[in-house]
Each structure stands twice: as structure tokens, then as C-alpha cells.
Amino acid sequence: MSEKTLNFIEHIIEEDINSGLSPDLLRFRFPPEPNGYLHIGHVKAICLNFNLGNRYKVPVNLRFDDTNPTKEETQYVEAIKNDIDWLGFQWYKECYASDYFPQLYDWSKKLINKGLAYVDSQSSEQISEQKGTPTYPGEDSPYRNRSISENLTIFQEMKDGKHKEGTHVLRAKIDMTAPNMLLRDPVMYRVLYKTHHRTGDDWCIYPMYDWTHGESDYIEHISHSLCSLEFKPHRELYEWFLDALSPLDSIRPKQIEFARLNLSYTVMSKRKLKALIDQSYVSGWDDPRMPTISGLRRRGYTPESLQNFVNTAGVAKRENIIDVSLLEFCLRDHLNKIAPRVMAVLNPIKLTIKNYPQGQIEMLKAENNPEDEKAGFRDVPFCGDLYIERDDFREEANRKFFRLTLGKEVRLKNAYIIKGEAVLKDAEGNINEIICTYDHLSKSGSGTEESQRKVKGTLHWVSKAHAYPIKVNMYDRLFSVEEPDKNKDENPAQFINPDSYSQVQGYIEPSVISSAPGDKFQFQRLGYFILDEKTRDHMVFNKTVGLRDTWKKA
């Protein structure tokens, strides 16, 4: 592998291989908790683990860390699998921490027998108070020196459902004076009478994350356990639990931390994203304004654009905020290559060409995608009655307005040069029709001298007789400030962008009528749009992204 292509994690892996670790023993995993939908931040971890698996040609497991039945649901499991599959990755084994509950329970008894775990019968408040502070040591629990036999008895009773929630916990016996507060006798098990999405009511004690995670890695023979930087303080505890189970008869996993992906104008906390749903700021996990993978997919993002984004952002050791404009650039770059071009008018006004032959209809050739030679051409109907964008006309305009106005010429895309002649207004003085003339020799691609004539403006249009009505969901960034979650104690909902959603009705050329939900298009001069997957009796498009970044200018 070329040194120039290595990130710091790959350097560590290469060093381990050079130190004697067989490449055949490399194993990776992506371990989400099924308590919500995956978001753009998870894409980084997904790509990192699965790309390492592909690079070294070794297995990558999908493991659900499902140890908290109060928050985890089967619907989240299915959504996570669907998202990873959509991104283009295939896992080797589908694993669940809950599958390891019997082994974790047996190992817990092993730690009790070794004098490395005990049952504490204090309340959670008392335990918290005794933990101390980062500058003051903690105090030993009065139950810390319970006999091994008593600990085993009570722990068995906890498992058998003989004790109420909150009466007992199992704690590791480490060091109540440790500088790392996570080592101050952390809780390993708690009593919890909640139905688990997989094990049902088989268990009423559930293991904590720190106890479960490293041991699950060990069970699955994971060689390198990759996690985000917030778990760096947990590494010492990760190592302690593995040491406590020694001697180990399999490969010992190594935890490596990397900086998670933080994106401007975005909230990454699943808890806070769920709060936005519960408070009806968004319609659900797949709302196209959400940073969830399902929301991004419905918005019109492609797997390729998301993978390109995280690869461009890179793997770092320090936290930073990536500008969302990079994400949008990667999206535009891919859609520009694959999205067919069509014409749609979203704020229509009627335009009549008074000298165009009455009743005549032409089929004009239009290029489907100039970036793709194989995309070919389509027929677009043209007649004397059209729709154009209302913003593309001004009755009076200055010299810098290069669209249609009275007395000046513009070109209709793929069609003719027209000249504004007059307007028709309603009783309130609002313009409801534009009257133009056209130069019949100026047809695009006709080869005439007039067809080569240059004008400063080109407008898109739709034939009124052939226009298909559509609804368009206009989406923008969900938050109006760059760091809506900067203060973790504040509710980011206060920074909701009031203009993040609106719906308009317009018209589109008839070539799209046979399109399927999920099909993506460039509406020429307007941006990229996707036919919404929830389209039913009406054709509904979602705006994906504009043709250029105008947010900061706005």
C-alpha cells in the first residue's frame, strides 16, 4: 500500500502487520445502537470500517449494540440495515450484543469470583455522590467488600427477577481514586424490567455499554475497534475489562479513536433529532431536511456523493467542523454527471408568441445530459403558448437585467429568439400574460445565420398545452446558524430556519411523466430535484440542491 494513501489508522494497522499480526486476522465492525436512524456522521464510520475491510479483503461485521431496551426498536434495526445496503456495503455477519448476554453474564460471575466485581445496593444518587470529582477522589461503597458468595447469590437473584429496579447494581472493583473517573468502580449491570426487541422478557438485568462493547469485540475476533474521540477516556476501561478476563485465547482487540464528523448547520445527536420529530419541527426521521441517511436519500443525495464527501473530509485525530458546502459540492459534482436535464417552471407566467403559426406544434431536440455522451436527446414540444418563470420578466429593467423585458431579445432554450412586445394585466394591475414575437430563422441548431446570433439571456420554458402539473417541496438548511448545537445544554430548535420548507406548484415538460419515485433530474437553471418516494396521485418533487452555493451570499 502506498504511503501517500495512508491515514493514521491505516498506519497503525500497517505497523501491527509489520510487527507480526497476520493480515488474515484483521477484522472490523460497525456497531450502531438501534435507538434511532443513522445520520451523516455515521457515514464516516461506515465508510471507514467497510473500506478497510475491502482494502484488506477481510470481514466486516454489522453489530447492533442493543443493551438498552428502553430506547431500542426493531424498526431502527431494519432502517440501519437498509441505509448501509443503500450506501453500497455488505456486512459479513449480522451480530447483536444481546446474543452475547449469556456469555457476558458468565464472565461477570468470573469477575466476581476473581474479586474484581461486586453487587452494590446503594441508590444511583448515592453512587454518584461517592464518585468524587476529577480533582477529588471517590469513596468506597460500604458494599465493596461483600463476600464472593454473597455477591454471587444476589447477582443470581437479580437475574432471576427477585429484586426491584434500582435496588442493586453490579460494579467492577477497580479504583475509587483513579484520575480517570470511568475507572471508579463503573456499573456493569442494572435491573431493568423492560421487554427487549430480540430477547423479549428473558432478561431483567442488562449490561452497560462499557462492559459489553469490548467483550463483544473480543467474541467476534475484532482486531481494530474504531470509535469516535469521545470514547478515548473509555479506552483505559476497555483495556481493564480485557485484562480482567485474561488469559485470553483469541486475538485481543485494539481500540483506536478518530474525530467524528461534525457538519455546519447540522445537529448530530440522535436524541436531539428525535426531539425535533416529537415536537413536529420535522415530519419524521426521513424528512428531507434531516441529516439522517434516509432523509438525505429522500432529499436526492446519492451513495457516491456521500462516500466522496467523507473521503474528501478525511480521517483526523482532532475535532473540527466541516462546512456543509463541501457536502453540497460533492453532491452537485455527482448529480451533474448523472442527472438528466429537463425544463420545469415553478413560478409560472403565461407567454404568448403572437406571430407564431396558430395551432402549430414542433418537437425540438434537447440534449439529456451534456456531461454524458451516451445520454442522447429527447423531444420537447414547442408551440406559441408557453410558461416561463415570472422572475425571468420585468416590465422595466436596468442594463444589468439580461432576461426578458419589453423591447429586448432573449433566447428560449433549444428554441427561438423572442422579443418582449407588451403585457396584459388584471384589474389590480398585476401582469398575467406577456406578449412576444419570435424570429422564425433563429431556431437553435438550424444552421441559419440567425440561429448563430448572440443574445445575453437564455430562458427555460414549458409548452402550455403539454405542461404537466407538479408540486415541488422547496427545502433549505434546517438551521439558520452555523453551530446550532454549540451549547449542548440549549435546545437547537430555537435556531430552526423558518424558510427551510415551502411548497410550490408548477409545470414540467412531458418527458418525465413515466418517471419512477427516486429518479433525479436537473431542472435547468433551477437546481437538482428528485421525484419523491412518497409520491402518490400527484407528481411531487423534492428540491435537492441549487446549481450553486448561494447561502452565504443570501
Side-chain angles (χ1 to χ4, degrees):
M1 190 184 301
S2 170
E3 286 290 317
K4 293 182 180 179
T5 66
L6 298 181
N7 58 49
F8 82 93
I9 292 176
E10 291 162 343
H11 271 293
I12 293 173
I13 294 172
E14 288 295 309
E15 289 171 359
D16 289 342
I17 292 173
N18 292 334
S19 298
L21 175 64
S22 171
D24 294 337
L25 294 178
L26 292 176
R27 297 288 186 276
F28 305 99
R29 85 290 174 268
F30 174 62
E33 182 184 0
N35 63 347
Y37 281 49
L38 300 182
H39 54 61
I40 182 66
H42 293 107
V43 176
K44 179 175 181 178
I46 293 169
C47 290
L48 179 57
N49 281 285
F50 282 95
N51 284 337
L52 284 171
N54 291 335
R55 174 167 290 179
Y56 290 100
K57 296 180 173 56
V58 296
V60 181
N61 289 348
L62 169 60
R63 182 176 75 239
F64 293 96
D65 278 339
D66 55 344
T67 62
N68 187 352
T70 63
K71 296 182 178 180
E72 296 154 358
E73 300 178 22
T74 300
Q75 65 153 322
Y76 297 140
V77 170
E78 296 305 316
I80 289 169
K81 291 194 292 184
N82 185 47
D83 287 343
I84 297 173
D85 181 66
W86 176 77
L87 281 171
F89 297 112
Q90 293 298 316
W91 51 91
Y92 174 65
K93 287 183 179 179
E94 182 178 319
C95 306
Y96 295 82
S98 54
D99 291 342
Y100 311 140
F101 283 176
Q103 178 66 79
L104 292 169
Y105 176 74
D106 288 343
W107 278 340
S108 298
K109 292 193 293 183
K110 179 179 179 180
L111 295 192
I112 292 174
N113 278 310
K114 293 174 71 172
L116 297 177
Y118 64 97
V119 174
D120 196 336
S121 304
Q122 298 181 102
S123 68
S124 58
E125 291 79 12
Q126 289 173 314
I127 292 174
S128 179
E129 289 175 4
Q130 291 171 353
K131 278 289 186 78
T133 70
T135 55
Y136 289 94
E139 299 176 4
D140 286 355
S141 164
Y143 301 96
R144 198 171 195 266
N145 295 315
R146 258 180 171 151
S147 68
I148 290 175
S149 60
E150 187 179 3
N151 282 320
L152 288 172
T153 298
I154 300 175
F155 189 47
Q156 180 68 47
E157 291 173 351
M158 290 164 60
K159 177 182 179 296
D160 293 341
K162 296 181 179 180
H163 296 285
K164 296 179 180 180
E165 291 184 10
T167 54
H168 304 288
V169 296
L170 183 70
R171 298 176 69 180
K173 186 185 290 187
I174 307 179
D175 183 359
M176 291 300 291
T177 67
N180 183 347
M181 293 187 64
L182 294 173
L183 297 180
R184 296 183 183 179
D185 291 11
V187 174
M188 296 173 61
Y189 275 91
R190 75 282 203 199
V191 178
L192 198 58
Y193 292 98
K194 295 291 187 297
T195 301
H196 190 277
H197 72 102
R198 278 177 63 82
T199 62
D201 296 319
D202 291 348
W203 293 84
C204 59
I205 56 170
Y206 289 94
M208 303 298 288
Y209 173 86
D210 280 320
W211 166 235
T212 308
H213 191 74
E215 281 50 59
S216 298
D217 285 341
Y218 173 69
I219 291 170
E220 295 174 23
H221 300 169
I222 302 303
S223 60
H224 295 82
S225 177
L226 311 181
C227 56
S228 50
L229 277 178
E230 67 254 40
F231 291 101
K232 187 173 183 177
H234 295 248
R235 192 202 307 172
E236 196 173 356
L237 181 55
Y238 184 98
E239 298 287 346
W240 188 91
F241 278 129
L242 291 173
D243 288 339
L245 290 178
S246 293
L248 301 176
D249 57 5
S250 181
I251 188 171
R252 182 186 178 108
K254 175 186 286 188
Q255 178 173 307
I256 306 172
E257 306 86 17
F258 61 91
R260 66 180 182 179
L261 193 151
N262 297 303
L263 199 63
S264 64
Y265 298 97
T266 308
V267 168
M268 294 295 193
S269 164
K270 282 191 285 187
R271 176 178 59 82
K272 293 185 178 181
L273 291 175
K274 187 176 187 303
L276 294 177
I277 298 170
D278 295 340
Q279 297 165 26
S280 299
Y281 287 105
V282 293
S283 60
W285 288 103
D286 66 345
D287 188 299
R289 294 167 293 174
M290 290 278 273
T292 55
I293 297 175
S294 58
L296 294 168
R297 179 170 61 245
R298 192 173 163 206
R299 178 78 172 258
Y301 277 76
T302 63
E304 294 85 351
S305 65
L306 295 180
Q307 289 191 45
N308 187 34
F309 166 66
V310 297
N311 291 336
T312 302
V315 181
K317 295 182 179 181
R318 296 183 179 180
E319 297 280 3
N320 63 337
I321 296 177
I322 306 297
D323 195 318
V324 70
S325 61
L326 175 62
L327 173 63
E328 294 171 348
F329 169 82
C330 292
L331 176 61
R332 289 189 192 94
D333 182 63
H334 189 234
L335 290 178
N336 182 51
K337 299 171 184 174
I338 66 166
R341 275 55 167 168
V342 297
M343 289 191 287
V345 175
L346 304 187
N347 186 17
I349 185 170
K350 183 180 178 184
L351 182 146
T352 300
I353 306 173
K354 67 179 182 179
N355 63 332
Y356 191 83
Q358 188 172 4
Q360 177 174 300
I361 297 174
E362 294 183 74
M363 299 304 290
L364 304 180
K365 291 292 182 183
E367 198 170 9
N368 284 326
N369 188 339
E371 302 295 323
D372 182 1
E373 295 180 355
K374 298 179 181 179
F377 293 81
R378 69 190 187 282
D379 291 326
V380 182
F382 182 88
C383 63
D385 295 318
L386 309 172
Y387 288 121
I388 67 168
E389 295 287 348
R390 188 174 293 271
D391 291 342
D392 280 342
F393 175 77
R394 290 183 188 173
E395 189 174 8
E396 297 179 2
N398 58 34
R399 291 163 53 190
K400 294 183 178 181
F401 186 76
F402 298 131
R403 288 168 280 179
L404 183 61
T405 187
L406 298 181
K408 292 187 178 181
E409 292 183 327
V410 297
R411 177 174 290 282
L412 296 176
K413 189 165 184 63
N414 302 312
Y416 299 93
I417 292 175
I418 60 172
K419 181 179 180 181
E421 302 289 353
V423 296
L424 300 180
K425 299 182 179 181
D426 60 19
E428 285 75 35
N430 300 311
I431 299 173
N432 54 27
E433 187 173 348
I434 305 164
I435 307 298
C436 294
T437 55
Y438 88 117
D439 182 346
H440 71 284
L441 297 175
S442 65
K443 183 178 178 180
S444 292
S446 64
T448 66
E449 183 177 341
E450 285 297 299
S451 71
Q452 306 300 316
R453 184 154 53 91
K454 303 296 184 184
V455 291
K456 291 186 176 180
T458 300
L459 310 184
H460 63 280
W461 50 272
V462 177
S463 167
K464 183 174 182 294
H466 306 88
Y468 193 85
I470 59 173
K471 294 180 180 179
V472 181
N473 296 318
M474 304 295 285
Y475 292 111
D476 208 333
R477 297 175 186 175
L478 183 58
F479 297 99
S480 58
V481 298
E482 188 172 4
E483 296 183 63
D485 202 22
K486 185 175 183 179
N487 188 333
K488 302 300 180 182
D489 296 327
E490 289 184 340
N491 183 0
Q494 64 183 304
F495 303 117
I496 289 285
N497 174 15
D499 300 318
S500 66
Y501 169 75
S502 62
Q503 188 178 78
V504 299
Q505 298 190 18
Y507 297 98
I508 199 167
E509 64 176 70
S511 68
V512 304
I513 292 176
S514 60
S515 301
D519 286 351
K520 302 169 182 65
F521 301 91
Q522 184 194 102
F523 290 4
Q524 292 185 296
R525 300 180 64 234
L526 297 177
Y528 294 98
F529 296 77
I530 182 174
L531 187 56
D532 188 39
E533 62 187 38
K534 296 189 176 181
T535 287
R536 294 294 181 264
D537 53 338
H538 292 89
M539 190 169 274
V540 179
F541 288 87
N542 296 328
K543 182 178 181 180
T544 303
V545 69
L547 294 177
R548 57 188 60 85
D549 184 6
T550 59
W551 179 266
K552 290 183 179 179
K553 294 178 183 178

Short mmCIF file of all heavy atoms in Angstrom, two decimals, residues 32-55:
data_model
loop_
_atom_site.label_atom_id
_atom_site.label_comp_id
_atom_site.label_asym_id
_atom_site.label_seq_id
_atom_site.Cartn_x
_atom_site.Cartn_y
_atom_site.Cartn_z
N PRO A 32 -23.59 0.14 15.49
CA PRO A 32 -24.57 1.16 15.88
C PRO A 32 -25.49 0.67 17.00
O PRO A 32 -25.74 -0.53 17.15
CB PRO A 32 -25.37 1.36 14.59
CG PRO A 32 -25.32 0.02 13.92
CD PRO A 32 -23.94 -0.51 14.22
N GLU A 33 -26.00 1.61 17.76
CA GLU A 33 -27.07 1.30 18.71
C GLU A 33 -28.39 1.54 17.99
O GLU A 33 -28.60 2.62 17.42
CB GLU A 33 -26.99 2.17 19.96
CG GLU A 33 -28.07 1.82 20.97
CD GLU A 33 -28.09 2.72 22.20
OE1 GLU A 33 -27.24 3.63 22.28
OE2 GLU A 33 -28.96 2.52 23.06
N PRO A 34 -29.30 0.58 17.99
CA PRO A 34 -30.56 0.74 17.26
C PRO A 34 -31.59 1.57 18.03
O PRO A 34 -32.69 1.10 18.35
CB PRO A 34 -31.02 -0.70 17.06
CG PRO A 34 -30.47 -1.43 18.24
CD PRO A 34 -29.16 -0.79 18.54
N ASN A 35 -31.22 2.80 18.34
CA ASN A 35 -32.12 3.70 19.08
C ASN A 35 -32.51 4.91 18.24
O ASN A 35 -32.97 5.92 18.77
CB ASN A 35 -31.46 4.15 20.39
CG ASN A 35 -30.19 4.95 20.15
OD1 ASN A 35 -29.66 4.99 19.04
ND2 ASN A 35 -29.69 5.60 21.19
N GLY A 36 -32.31 4.82 16.93
CA GLY A 36 -32.65 5.92 16.04
C GLY A 36 -32.09 5.61 14.67
O GLY A 36 -31.49 4.55 14.43
N TYR A 37 -32.30 6.54 13.76
CA TYR A 37 -31.81 6.36 12.38
C TYR A 37 -30.37 6.86 12.27
O TYR A 37 -29.96 7.79 12.97
CB TYR A 37 -32.70 7.12 11.41
CG TYR A 37 -34.01 6.44 11.06
CD1 TYR A 37 -34.84 5.94 12.06
CD2 TYR A 37 -34.40 6.29 9.75
CE1 TYR A 37 -36.04 5.31 11.75
CE2 TYR A 37 -35.60 5.66 9.42
CZ TYR A 37 -36.41 5.17 10.42
OH TYR A 37 -37.60 4.55 10.12
N LEU A 38 -29.61 6.26 11.38
CA LEU A 38 -28.25 6.70 11.13
C LEU A 38 -28.24 8.06 10.45
O LEU A 38 -29.13 8.38 9.66
CB LEU A 38 -27.51 5.69 10.25
CG LEU A 38 -27.37 4.27 10.79
CD1 LEU A 38 -26.57 3.42 9.80
CD2 LEU A 38 -26.70 4.26 12.16
N HIS A 39 -27.19 8.86 10.73
CA HIS A 39 -27.08 10.18 10.11
C HIS A 39 -25.75 10.31 9.38
O HIS A 39 -24.95 9.36 9.32
CB HIS A 39 -27.28 11.29 11.14
CG HIS A 39 -26.40 11.20 12.34
ND1 HIS A 39 -25.03 11.27 12.28
CD2 HIS A 39 -26.70 11.05 13.67
CE1 HIS A 39 -24.51 11.18 13.49
NE2 HIS A 39 -25.50 11.02 14.36
N ILE A 40 -25.50 11.48 8.83
CA ILE A 40 -24.32 11.73 8.02
C ILE A 40 -23.04 11.45 8.80
O ILE A 40 -22.03 11.02 8.22
CB ILE A 40 -24.33 13.18 7.46
CG1 ILE A 40 -23.14 13.46 6.56
CG2 ILE A 40 -24.40 14.19 8.59
CD1 ILE A 40 -23.13 12.67 5.28
N GLY A 41 -23.06 11.66 10.11
CA GLY A 41 -21.88 11.36 10.91
C GLY A 41 -21.55 9.88 10.90
O GLY A 41 -20.37 9.49 10.92
N HIS A 42 -22.58 9.03 10.86
CA HIS A 42 -22.34 7.59 10.82
C HIS A 42 -21.76 7.15 9.48
O HIS A 42 -21.10 6.10 9.41
CB HIS A 42 -23.65 6.82 11.08
CG HIS A 42 -24.19 6.99 12.46
ND1 HIS A 42 -25.31 7.75 12.73
CD2 HIS A 42 -23.77 6.52 13.66
CE1 HIS A 42 -25.57 7.72 14.03
NE2 HIS A 42 -24.65 6.99 14.61
N VAL A 43 -22.02 7.93 8.43
CA VAL A 43 -21.49 7.56 7.12
C VAL A 43 -19.97 7.47 7.17
O VAL A 43 -19.36 6.59 6.55
CB VAL A 43 -21.94 8.57 6.04
CG1 VAL A 43 -21.30 8.24 4.69
CG2 VAL A 43 -23.45 8.57 5.91
N LYS A 44 -19.36 8.37 7.94
CA LYS A 44 -17.90 8.34 8.07
C LYS A 44 -17.44 7.03 8.69
O LYS A 44 -16.50 6.39 8.17
CB LYS A 44 -17.42 9.52 8.92
CG LYS A 44 -15.91 9.57 9.12
CD LYS A 44 -15.49 10.82 9.87
CE LYS A 44 -13.98 10.89 10.05
NZ LYS A 44 -13.55 12.12 10.73
N ALA A 45 -18.08 6.63 9.79
CA ALA A 45 -17.68 5.38 10.45
C ALA A 45 -17.98 4.17 9.57
O ALA A 45 -17.19 3.21 9.54
CB ALA A 45 -18.41 5.25 11.79
N ILE A 46 -19.09 4.20 8.87
CA ILE A 46 -19.44 3.10 7.96
C ILE A 46 -18.38 2.96 6.88
O ILE A 46 -17.84 1.87 6.63
CB ILE A 46 -20.83 3.33 7.33
CG1 ILE A 46 -21.92 3.24 8.40
CG2 ILE A 46 -21.10 2.31 6.22
CD1 ILE A 46 -23.28 3.70 7.93
N CYS A 47 -18.08 4.07 6.20
CA CYS A 47 -17.10 4.04 5.11
C CYS A 47 -15.73 3.64 5.62
O CYS A 47 -15.01 2.86 4.97
CB CYS A 47 -17.03 5.40 4.42
SG CYS A 47 -18.51 5.83 3.46
N LEU A 48 -15.35 4.14 6.79
CA LEU A 48 -14.03 3.84 7.34
C LEU A 48 -13.88 2.34 7.56
O LEU A 48 -12.90 1.71 7.12
CB LEU A 48 -13.82 4.61 8.63
CG LEU A 48 -12.50 4.40 9.37
CD1 LEU A 48 -11.32 4.72 8.47
CD2 LEU A 48 -12.46 5.25 10.64
N ASN A 49 -14.83 1.73 8.25
CA ASN A 49 -14.73 0.30 8.56
C ASN A 49 -14.87 -0.57 7.32
O ASN A 49 -14.06 -1.50 7.12
CB ASN A 49 -15.79 -0.08 9.60
CG ASN A 49 -15.40 0.32 11.01
OD1 ASN A 49 -14.56 -0.30 11.63
ND2 ASN A 49 -16.02 1.39 11.52
N PHE A 50 -15.86 -0.30 6.49
CA PHE A 50 -16.09 -1.16 5.34
C PHE A 50 -15.01 -0.97 4.26
O PHE A 50 -14.64 -1.93 3.58
CB PHE A 50 -17.48 -0.93 4.76
CG PHE A 50 -18.57 -1.61 5.54
CD1 PHE A 50 -19.28 -0.93 6.51
CD2 PHE A 50 -18.86 -2.95 5.32
CE1 PHE A 50 -20.27 -1.55 7.25
CE2 PHE A 50 -19.86 -3.59 6.05
CZ PHE A 50 -20.56 -2.90 7.02
N ASN A 51 -14.50 0.24 4.13
CA ASN A 51 -13.42 0.45 3.17
C ASN A 51 -12.14 -0.26 3.62
O ASN A 51 -11.38 -0.77 2.80
CB ASN A 51 -13.16 1.94 2.96
CG ASN A 51 -14.22 2.59 2.08
OD1 ASN A 51 -14.89 1.90 1.31
ND2 ASN A 51 -14.38 3.89 2.20
N LEU A 52 -11.90 -0.29 4.94
CA LEU A 52 -10.77 -1.06 5.44
C LEU A 52 -10.96 -2.55 5.15
O LEU A 52 -10.01 -3.26 4.77
CB LEU A 52 -10.60 -0.83 6.95
CG LEU A 52 -9.98 0.50 7.37
CD1 LEU A 52 -10.08 0.68 8.88
CD2 LEU A 52 -8.52 0.58 6.93
N GLY A 53 -12.18 -3.02 5.34
CA GLY A 53 -12.46 -4.42 5.02
C GLY A 53 -12.21 -4.72 3.56
O GLY A 53 -11.63 -5.75 3.21
N ASN A 54 -12.66 -3.82 2.69
CA ASN A 54 -12.46 -4.01 1.25
C ASN A 54 -10.98 -3.93 0.89
O ASN A 54 -10.48 -4.70 0.05
CB ASN A 54 -13.25 -2.97 0.47
CG ASN A 54 -14.75 -3.17 0.56
OD1 ASN A 54 -15.20 -4.29 0.80
ND2 ASN A 54 -15.52 -2.12 0.39
N ARG A 55 -10.27 -3.01 1.52
CA ARG A 55 -8.86 -2.81 1.18
C ARG A 55 -8.03 -4.03 1.57
O ARG A 55 -7.15 -4.47 0.83
CB ARG A 55 -8.33 -1.56 1.87
CG ARG A 55 -6.82 -1.34 1.70
CD ARG A 55 -6.44 0.07 2.12
NE ARG A 55 -6.96 1.05 1.18
CZ ARG A 55 -6.78 2.37 1.31
NH1 ARG A 55 -6.12 2.85 2.35
NH2 ARG A 55 -7.27 3.20 0.42
#
